[in-house]
Amino acid sequence: MGKALDGVRILDFTHVQSGPTCTQLLAWLGADVVKVERAGEGDITRGQLRDIPDVDSLYFTMLNHNKRSITIDAKNPKGKEILEALVKRCDVLVENFAPGALDRMGFTWERVQQLNPRMIVASVKGFGPGPYEDCKVYENVAQCAGGSASTTGFDDGPPLVTGAQIGDSGTGLHLALGIVAALYQRNTTGKGQKVLAAMQDGVLNLCRVKLRDQQRLARTGVMEEYPQYPNGKFGDAVPRAGNASGGGQPGWILKCKGWETDPNAYIYFITQAPVWKDICKVIGREEWLTHPDYATPKARLPHLMEIFGKIEEWTKTKDKFEAMEILNKYDIPCGPILSMKEIAEEPSLRKTGTVVEVDHPKRGKYLTVGNPIKMSDSPSDVSRSPLLGEHTEEVLAELGYTKEQVAELRSAGAI
Ligand code: COA
């Protein structure tokens, strides 16, 4: 079966996490992704957080599936010639270098346009135009500058970063969407364009509900679904809301049986209004149904923490899966706190290809996350990440270089 992006050629100048997330997605959707790396070292993540000496790290392998790797020294004149040939041949150049690095390599937007007016140049940067545009940025910097850290954590604690890589992988996702849209627009304009996804912007997009709350707070001085209500204090900026749900349905994380020894024996419990009657029945508090403090969603708001305390008395008598089974019968929205170990071992995720086992010639078998986007006519098969420079000769042959020329390039240090 064909793939959605069959025939699309990507010149992949990405490294670390944000850019590689983007090009891995495009590769899963069928694009031919040629990753350009420096001979010897390659993407710095090949050697970071290694669990096996001298073998590409899981950090690298899990972000670079379905790609080909070619080594080129972009600062060597002969290396530059190869890159120019690739620019002419490809549809998209994706990069997440520090600001200005692509220009310093000689690949300004004007130069790329001269070489290939249909070329789409897609970049991840830490910040968009403005005071910080020249800064180098990593994940947690973006989480802090994009509004996530100030709104994550508990009211009495410091700002917190989240384990979900919303700055890197989140921005890579945004960029991939921009690229696909630019490819679509090119069908009518015949021209390429620049696509920029700044990490601060990507994080803020994912935190938009907090900008919503900032404006609600400015208008009303209070947000009744936040744990600070009714007894805590609100300042002039959106506070950290602990585990409160971001929406209009109050929720909290509650202890389940075994919580004293198992750090993940918890469940997320949502007191959705339409199933309030069932909640009261399940936890044995039917008197709440008629009590004026609990009968309506509005009346319950000042008592939420007390209500969750009582519900927790019930969840503590069940393990998280037992609780799920009982609550699901009544359509009460809830979710177990799953550890990475439980996720890795979950058979249904293996079945759908969300968790995949891959074989690597040097590392052997390892688990990775497959394509989370499932398309009926464009299935994703996850193939292992390339070794450094594994496809250099293959790609050069496609560009018309002979074996002798490749040997010359090698001795000139261009590849
Ligand atoms: N041949 C020759 N030179 C190469 C090369 C190649 N194949 N690939 C990279 N380089 C050079 C670059 O041209 C650059 O040289 P220059 O500074 O002399 O112009 C140099 O390698 C370093 O690139 P840079 O991007 O600055 O890497 P870094 O390790 O110093 O910084 C980041 C890493 C991630 C902080 C930075 O790339 C960045 O801010 N990127 C944008 C935001 C981003 O994506 N952050 C998240 C990363 S997950």
Side-chain angles (χ1 to χ4, degrees), residues 63-216:
L63 286 162
N64 289 285
H65 293 106
N66 298 56
K67 303 180 187 178
R68 299 196 282 170
S69 165
I70 169 168
T71 52
I72 303 178
D73 179 351
K75 290 178 178 158
N76 177 304
K78 294 226 172 298
K80 212 165 265 180
E81 273 174 29
I82 305 169
L83 283 171
E84 293 197 348
L86 281 167
V87 169
K88 286 183 187 154
R89 184 178 150 87
C90 291
D91 301 281
V92 189
L93 186 164
V94 192
E95 62 95 18
N96 67 312
F97 290 129
L102 192 66
D103 289 357
R104 287 195 292 278
M105 262 181 202
F107 291 99
T108 59
W109 169 242
E110 292 71 26
R111 178 68 186 135
V112 171
Q113 285 283 284
Q114 261 174 5
L115 293 166
N116 179 0
R118 287 173 60 79
M119 172 64 90
I120 291 156
V121 177
S123 306
V124 169
K125 293 288 166 263
F127 292 92
Y132 305 119
E133 65 187 305
D134 293 329
C135 295
K136 289 190 175 183
V137 170
Y138 286 104
E139 172 69 45
N140 289 343
V141 175
Q143 287 197 24
C144 294
S148 175
S150 77
T151 53
T152 303
F154 287 90
D155 198 25
D156 56 357
L160 273 189
V161 294
T162 149
Q165 304 285 283
I166 58 175
D168 280 339
S169 289
T171 309
L173 258 164
H174 283 94
L175 190 71
L177 178 60
I179 290 170
V180 173
L183 283 167
Y184 186 75
Q185 192 173 11
R186 196 180 69 171
N187 289 336
T188 46
T189 63
K191 289 194 308 193
Q193 63 182 297
K194 287 189 276 185
V195 180
L196 169 68
M199 293 168 73
Q200 182 184 40
D201 303 8
V203 170
L204 179 57
N205 187 34
L206 299 176
C207 290
R208 67 174 49 228
V209 296
K210 299 295 178 180
L211 187 57
R212 171 200 68 193
D213 290 350
Q214 181 60 44
Q215 295 170 85
R216 292 173 57 219

Side-chain angles (χ1 to χ4, degrees), residues 52-66:
I52 307 174
D54 303 324
V55 171
D56 286 340
S57 69
L58 286 165
Y59 191 5
F60 177 83
T61 57
M62 291 178 73
L63 286 162
N64 289 285
H65 293 106
N66 298 56

Side-chain angles (χ1 to χ4, degrees), residues 14 49 214 260 271 299 334 380:
T14 69
L49 310 177
Q214 181 60 44
E260 299 90 337
T271 57
C334 57
S380 294

